[in-house]
Amino acid sequence: MTIRLYDTNARQIRDFTPLVPGCVSIYLCGATVQAAPHIGHIRSGLNFDMMRRWFAYRGYDVTFIRNVTDIDDKIITKSAEQGRPWWAIGYENEQAFNNGYDALGCLRPTYEPRATGHVPEMIEMMRGLIERGHAYEADGNVYFDVRSFPGYLSLSNQELDNLLQPSGEGETGKRDPRDFAMWKSVKPGEPSWETPWGRGRPGWHLECSAMAHKYLGEAFDIHGGGLDLIFPHHENEIAQAKAFGDEFANTWVHNAWVTMAGEKMSKSLGNSVLVSEMVKRWRPIVLRYYLGTPHYRSMIEYSEEALREAESAFARIEGFVQRVVEKAGGPVEPAKEVPPAFAEAMDDDLGVPQALAIVHTTVRQGNSALAADDKDAAIARLAEVRAMLGVLGLDPLDPHWAGESDRGEDLHGAVDTLVHLVLDQRESARARKDWATADAIRDQLQQSGLVIEDSPTGPRWTLGAR
């Protein structure tokens, strides 16, 4: 058994070899909390949640760090625009992110450090870089000297002479315009911390280098994030950490975006779809299926039609699960191991689409067993399906999703009573061989969004895809 992952730095799929046998250390760039999350943000969390779950299934002890950037230019700008404290905006949106992760079934990280809680570690890193000749102070700012680090831009594969480094307001005193700010001097009305070089606040890139060092040490296995972070963020993280003396990340894994009309979903472009609104319109487990089942390196073009297709596909899985549970007369425990073909797909760069094809094939086999009244085979297929869905965080019988079936229970009970009144009329029509009336009742129920199935224990109804 060997897990293989696409390493952005190597630009190829490589065998994963942990630095510590039996252990996996992962650092994921988490939320910048200037606004509530859209589904593009949550996709990253979902992709790495599935990675973490698969490593755990394969027997690894996983340490998973997902940071919170709770101070940066965007948060300060929002604070000025809204006339609210920067920390209030950050905390409010941090909770919104956690609500989104929780709703879509993401496991909580091992640690979730905030940038503002790690200023001493940032000062220590800057001091070391200045002593080694990789950084310098100017006008209260501290900059990283990119020409002092020969490996700079190897991740993004750019040429230094062609580089345009993003630069913020007040970044004066640079020796080279391509140098980037690690620490920004204090400005009126902005939050600041005391350092040997004067009061100021951290730069975005320094935050992650310092937090990764604190929680994972000088070297760790996997650094993750969205494609948009490769430059400048991850490139600058590498420069700081390695110039400081860390080996830093052994493997770089990046997930693709959620797009709308071909453009990356983002708050700045105003084309984002907020998670808090989406979970009101779609069941969270369906959203997880929609966002988590395409390959993590593939773009997702958002559309209502694609979501409806995901809903229908997952409904087929849920319908099978429900029918077998009814047939078995109670819960069916997941199999101890997933089918070999599923494991092979997941080992190959987290091939979730190929793994999901095995799920659907197994569901079809289970449905055939039900049709043949082969109870044992149907139960065996459900056990396999539950094992596979559990690895993906999509098992509808998992306690996490139990609340979904409980929501609106009173309404469900009222609908159930009304539907069965109509179904009783249909059964009466069938008993007197009035097939036209029976079929008309069934068709009217289906037009209202209900799916009617005739089972050995009598007719049953479920909600169809919208």
Side-chain angles (χ1 to χ4, degrees), residues 52-68:
R52 174 192 187 175
R53 288 170 182 265
W54 183 245
F55 274 119
Y57 173 82
R58 280 305 199 188
Y60 288 94
D61 182 8
V62 183
T63 300
F64 181 65
I65 311 299
R66 186 182 67 210
N67 77 292
V68 176

Side-chain angles (χ1 to χ4, degrees), residues 8 27 55 59 67 91 94 97 106 111 157 168 170 181 193 235 271 297 320 394 400 439 458 465:
T8 305
Y27 185 94
F55 274 119
N67 77 292
Y91 183 75
E94 180 183 342
F97 268 87
C106 294
Y111 304 108
N157 199 29
W193 289 260
E235 200 73 81
N271 64 352
R297 290 193 285 121
F320 165 70
L394 285 166
H400 176 82
D439 290 346

Side-chain angles (χ1 to χ4, degrees), residues 239-312:
Q240 293 164 151
K242 290 198 170 184
F244 183 68
D246 289 355
E247 293 182 30
F248 211 49
N250 191 42
T251 301
W252 287 84
V253 178
H254 292 92
N255 65 277
W257 302 329
V258 178
T259 61
M260 289 183 73
E263 291 201 59
K264 174 197 166 192
M265 188 173 288
S266 73
K267 287 170 279 195
S268 60
L269 291 176
N271 64 352
S272 59
V273 181
L274 295 181
V275 176
S276 59
E277 295 303 315
M278 293 296 286
V279 296
K280 296 175 184 176
R281 300 172 50 210
W282 302 88
R283 294 170 56 213
I285 196 169
V286 170
L287 284 175
R288 183 179 177 95
Y289 184 95
Y290 170 68
L291 292 172
T293 54
H295 194 274
Y296 75 90
R297 290 193 285 121
S298 300
M299 297 292 181
I300 298 176
E301 175 67 17
Y302 171 80
S303 71
E304 293 278 322
E305 180 182 0
L307 256 168
R308 284 192 292 271
E309 290 174 357
E311 183 181 50
S312 296

Side-chain angles (χ1 to χ4, degrees), residues 432-463:
R432 61 178 185 267
K433 295 184 170 48
D434 185 357
W435 309 118
T437 298
D439 290 346
I441 292 173
R442 181 199 59 202
D443 293 344
Q444 287 176 344
L445 287 171
Q446 289 178 338
Q447 288 172 11
S448 69
L450 301 175
V451 176
I452 308 302
E453 296 178 82
D454 293 311
S455 71
T457 58
R460 58 189 296 272
W461 68 272
T462 56
L463 284 174

Side-chain angles (χ1 to χ4, degrees), residues 141-437:
N141 302 299
V142 178
Y143 298 109
F144 186 91
D145 179 357
V146 297
R147 288 190 176 275
S148 72
F149 182 67
Y152 190 57
L153 300 180
S154 61
L155 182 69
S156 57
N157 199 29
Q158 298 184 76
E159 295 291 335
L160 185 60
D161 290 341
N162 300 327
L163 179 66
L164 293 175
Q165 185 80 256
S167 185
E169 182 182 352
E171 295 185 11
T172 60
K174 284 186 179 182
R175 297 175 184 172
D176 187 311
R178 290 162 291 197
D179 294 344
F180 62 86
M182 302 172 66
W183 192 263
K184 302 184 179 187
S185 62
V186 64
K187 298 178 185 63
E190 290 189 356
S192 64
W193 289 260
E194 188 62 59
T195 75
W197 312 283
R199 293 193 68 84
R201 60 182 176 86
W204 177 30
H205 318 303
L206 177 65
E207 296 172 350
C208 283
S209 295
M211 288 186 284
H213 177 88
K214 178 178 178 65
Y215 291 93
L216 297 177
E218 296 181 358
F220 57 95
D221 291 304
I222 297 169
H223 195 311
L227 283 173
D228 52 319
L229 300 183
I230 293 176
F231 181 83
H233 187 49
H234 289 166
E235 200 73 81
N236 292 350
E237 276 189 68
I238 292 170
Q240 293 164 151
K242 290 198 170 184
F244 183 68
D246 289 355
E247 293 182 30
F248 211 49
N250 191 42
T251 301
W252 287 84
V253 178
H254 292 92
N255 65 277
W257 302 329
V258 178
T259 61
M260 289 183 73
E263 291 201 59
K264 174 197 166 192
M265 188 173 288
S266 73
K267 287 170 279 195
S268 60
L269 291 176
N271 64 352
S272 59
V273 181
L274 295 181
V275 176
S276 59
E277 295 303 315
M278 293 296 286
V279 296
K280 296 175 184 176
R281 300 172 50 210
W282 302 88
R283 294 170 56 213
I285 196 169
V286 170
L287 284 175
R288 183 179 177 95
Y289 184 95
Y290 170 68
L291 292 172
T293 54
H295 194 274
Y296 75 90
R297 290 193 285 121
S298 300
M299 297 292 181
I300 298 176
E301 175 67 17
Y302 171 80
S303 71
E304 293 278 322
E305 180 182 0
L307 256 168
R308 284 192 292 271
E309 290 174 357
E311 183 181 50
S312 296
F314 191 71
R316 290 194 290 274
I317 296 173
E318 279 189 307
F320 165 70
V321 171
Q322 185 177 3
R323 286 190 291 273
V324 179
V325 168
E326 289 179 1
K327 185 80 169 177
V332 174
E333 291 300 311
K336 289 183 170 55
E337 295 185 359
V338 299
F342 180 94
E344 182 180 350
M346 292 297 290
D347 282 341
D348 187 11
D349 195 28
L350 302 178
V352 175
Q354 293 78 13
L356 197 64
I358 306 303
V359 173
H360 283 285
T361 296
T362 309
V363 166
R364 287 194 293 272
Q365 293 170 347
N367 282 327
S368 296
L370 284 173
D373 202 24
D374 188 342
K375 178 179 175 181
D376 291 341
I379 290 173
R381 299 294 80 74
L382 176 56
E384 292 171 348
V385 166
R386 286 202 66 193
M388 292 184 281
L389 292 178
V391 167
L392 300 175
L394 285 166
D395 180 3
L397 300 181
D398 187 280
H400 176 82
W401 304 113
E404 283 210 346
S405 59
D406 294 339
R407 291 185 305 169
E409 194 63 38
D410 292 342
L411 177 61
H412 183 279
V415 173
D416 186 64
T417 300
L418 293 172
V419 171
H420 275 94
L421 285 173
V422 178
L423 288 177
D424 287 345
Q425 294 177 16
R426 178 172 177 258
E427 287 304 296
S428 296
R430 286 163 61 91
R432 61 178 185 267
K433 295 184 170 48
D434 185 357
W435 309 118
T437 298

